Amino acid sequence: MRDDTARWLHFDKTHCWHPFTRQAEWCAPESEPVVITHGEGVWLHDSEGRRYIDGNSSIWTNIHGHNHPELNAAISAQLGKISHSSFLGFTHPLAAELAEKLAALFPAGSLERVFFSDDGSTAIECALKMSLQAQRQSGAPERTHFIAFHDAYHGDTLGASSLGGVARFQTRAHGFPAIHLSATEDLASVDAGNVAAVIIEPLIQGVNEMRPWPPGMLRTLREWCSANGVHLILDEVMTGFGRTGRMFACQHEDVIPDFLCLAKGLTGGYLPLAATLTTEQIYSTFLGEAEKAFYYGHSYTANPLGCAAALASLELFARENTLENLQPKIRQLIERLTEMKSRHPVIHDIRQCGFVAGIELRQPDGGRFPREARTGEAVCREAAKHGLLTRPILDTIVLMPPLGITPEELDFAISALGAAISSTIG
């Protein structure tokens, strides 16, 4: 181990606290975490001189690759002007332009208003609070409940986690009252008159081991919400910006929600920025006396550097034909993963939605590996030795590289995962 690597790991283990991490294991003397120092395209480089494919887009954020010259240039140009100014009582050109471009991605007259925040959890938090207040100011104060789905994940802030359907991430003591369902058929048992909104990750649940929803479910939800005066909130924090093969997952079923929550890929994966889009109708309920204003916001709302990165990312989608060029890579991913499954009896299922894939590992007889074996983690550690960095969700390996990956790099990533499965569990 190089001296600088050892120094950084010493400081980290002495002072840092990592998310979703067993810190006792992380800080153990024998633990040697990867220290990422720089990136280029889909490749991440560590302090020991090794490089890896970024197999989960740095936790589902990176779109066009690392160190992209146009994204770098946009941020650098903004740095020469101002890095941050308050959005409370002021505005700036990039926020105005970004809001207009986001609204223009949807049919005219639909999602016309954009509220900026910091990350996916806060984008969700905004939508939840907006929905409650809009219902109250529209004469329906009894609508205080939210419908969510089992095994869903919507973030870690208090309100967002109260709607999550994964027990270890949920906040039950406080937050919003939630009704958790398994499928749209369960809507028949719900008293819609008490419901403010339904929230769902469209097309596919992320933290639930990448499980797609049945085709047509989103359309059914939209129709039920419209018929019952209930808002539809779509959590596109993961699925937005091309991950499913369209710019947004809701476009696959021609559904326009009442609230659309965006983050992660909004800036191309460069900087924290989130947006909650909503309709002019909902926005109008907040107009009038001071008590109707939406009293919520963050210090770094509409940060100019984040807005610059987001605008540059949207320009890249158009200039590089990102979505069009992605289609053959989606087909390649399907074909290569199908081939890999045929060679590995421990691959129980492959769940894919566009350029999002979950590879579930089980024993050849279909039984799950013992939880304490942490098989998915072991495979990911081995994959790093073959040049692929990713993380599992239990024993489901996530493969979600940046959209800009080349066919050759995609082949490399899948081969590395196959080699890791072979050397770890056969």
Side-chain angles (χ1 to χ4, degrees):
M1 183 185 294
R2 297 177 181 177
D3 290 344
D4 53 0
T5 303
R7 184 177 71 257
W8 292 326
L9 287 179
H10 171 70
F11 292 159
D12 183 286
K13 292 181 179 184
T14 303
H15 300 292
C16 293
W17 191 342
H18 292 262
F20 302 100
T21 299
R22 296 176 176 90
Q23 284 293 136
E25 295 179 10
W26 178 274
C27 295
E30 65 275 13
S31 170
E32 295 184 3
V34 173
V35 180
I36 301 297
T37 57
H38 61 287
E40 191 73 33
V42 299
W43 296 93
L44 297 171
H45 298 254
D46 74 5
S47 57
E48 294 294 293
R50 299 169 298 218
R51 72 172 191 163
Y52 317 83
I53 292 278
D54 188 355
N56 69 356
S57 295
S58 296
I59 304 299
W60 314 351
T61 61
N62 194 278
I63 299 292
H64 306 287
H66 300 274
N67 207 18
H68 195 290
E70 295 192 39
L71 290 172
N72 291 357
I75 295 170
S76 296
Q78 184 58 36
L79 273 173
K81 299 175 182 177
I82 188 171
S83 60
H84 185 63
S85 62
S86 173
F87 207 57
L88 175 58
F90 306 93
T91 190
H92 62 83
L94 299 187
E97 291 180 13
L98 179 57
E100 187 278 332
K101 288 189 181 300
L102 289 173
L105 294 172
F106 298 90
S110 57
L111 297 175
E112 296 282 348
R113 293 288 170 172
V114 180
F115 190 95
F116 291 110
S117 59
D118 299 352
D119 58 27
S121 294
T122 57
I124 298 294
E125 206 82 9
C126 289
L128 301 177
K129 292 184 176 183
M130 285 177 177
S131 176
L132 283 176
Q133 189 171 340
Q135 293 283 15
R136 184 173 67 250
Q137 292 172 177
S138 299
E142 69 281 1
R143 292 186 178 272
T144 58
H145 286 65
F146 292 92
I147 293 176
F149 289 86
H150 292 300
D151 299 315
Y153 174 82
H154 297 293
D156 299 321
T157 52
L158 190 62
S161 61
S162 68
L163 268 63
V166 182
R168 63 186 179 277
F169 299 140
Q170 280 179 315
T171 300
R172 291 297 192 187
H174 303 284
F176 299 113
I179 304 164
H180 285 91
L181 307 180
S182 297
T184 52
E185 289 78 7
D186 298 337
L187 290 168
S189 62
V190 173
D191 179 3
N194 294 325
V195 177
V198 175
I199 183 169
I200 190 171
E201 303 159 88
L203 295 194
I204 184 171
Q205 285 185 318
V207 172
N208 187 21
E209 301 182 83
M210 299 297 169
R211 295 188 186 275
W213 291 112
M217 179 181 182
L218 203 56
R219 170 55 52 187
T220 299
L221 275 180
R222 175 68 279 178
E223 293 170 354
W224 185 88
C225 288
S226 298
N228 289 279
V230 174
H231 297 147
L232 177 60
I233 302 172
L234 296 188
D235 177 353
E236 292 233 25
V237 172
M238 179 192 76
T239 57
F241 302 102
R243 293 294 182 192
T244 66
R246 303 284 297 272
M247 184 62 86
F248 301 107
C250 60
Q251 293 172 334
H252 288 271
E253 296 189 12
D254 294 322
V255 164
I256 300 295
D258 299 291
F259 296 94
L260 183 77
C261 301
L262 305 173
K264 289 193 183 292
L266 174 58
T267 65
Y270 266 56
L271 290 164
L273 184 69
T276 303
L277 279 64
T278 191
T279 65
E280 195 71 21
Q281 179 181 1
I282 288 174
Y283 171 79
S284 68
T285 67
F286 290 80
L287 304 179
E289 57 269 26
E291 292 74 17
K292 287 188 174 183
F294 187 54
Y295 289 103
Y296 184 88
H298 296 176
S299 300
Y300 285 89
T301 291
N303 171 256
L305 297 178
C307 290
L311 283 166
S313 177
L314 291 176
E315 290 174 7
L316 282 174
F317 269 98
R319 185 178 305 119
E320 297 185 346
N321 296 316
T322 301
L323 295 178
E324 180 182 343
N325 293 332
L326 183 62
Q327 305 312 311
K329 288 183 278 192
I330 291 174
R331 294 190 292 271
Q332 178 186 357
L333 183 61
I334 294 171
E335 293 167 2
R336 286 299 314 279
L337 290 180
T338 301
E339 292 171 5
M340 187 171 70
K341 184 177 186 296
S342 69
R343 297 194 303 271
H344 293 279
V346 295
I347 297 179
H348 174 74
D349 192 19
I350 292 174
R351 295 183 286 273
Q352 184 177 353
C353 180
F355 217 47
V356 176
I359 299 94
E360 183 182 2
L361 306 176
R362 292 194 186 186
Q363 299 181 69
D365 64 1
R368 293 184 179 273
F369 289 102
R371 179 69 66 91
E372 60 273 15
R374 290 154 65 180
T375 302
E377 294 179 35
V379 169
C380 288
R381 285 194 299 271
E382 186 66 21
K385 299 176 184 177
H386 295 273
L388 173 68
L389 286 186
T390 188
R391 286 175 61 90
I393 304 171
L394 300 178
D395 289 338
T396 295
I397 312 300
V398 175
L399 190 58
M400 191 194 304
L403 307 188
I405 193 171
T406 67
E408 295 76 21
E409 290 166 336
L410 183 56
D411 274 341
F412 179 95
I414 296 170
S415 295
L417 180 56
I421 294 171
S422 294
S423 55
T424 305
I425 51 179

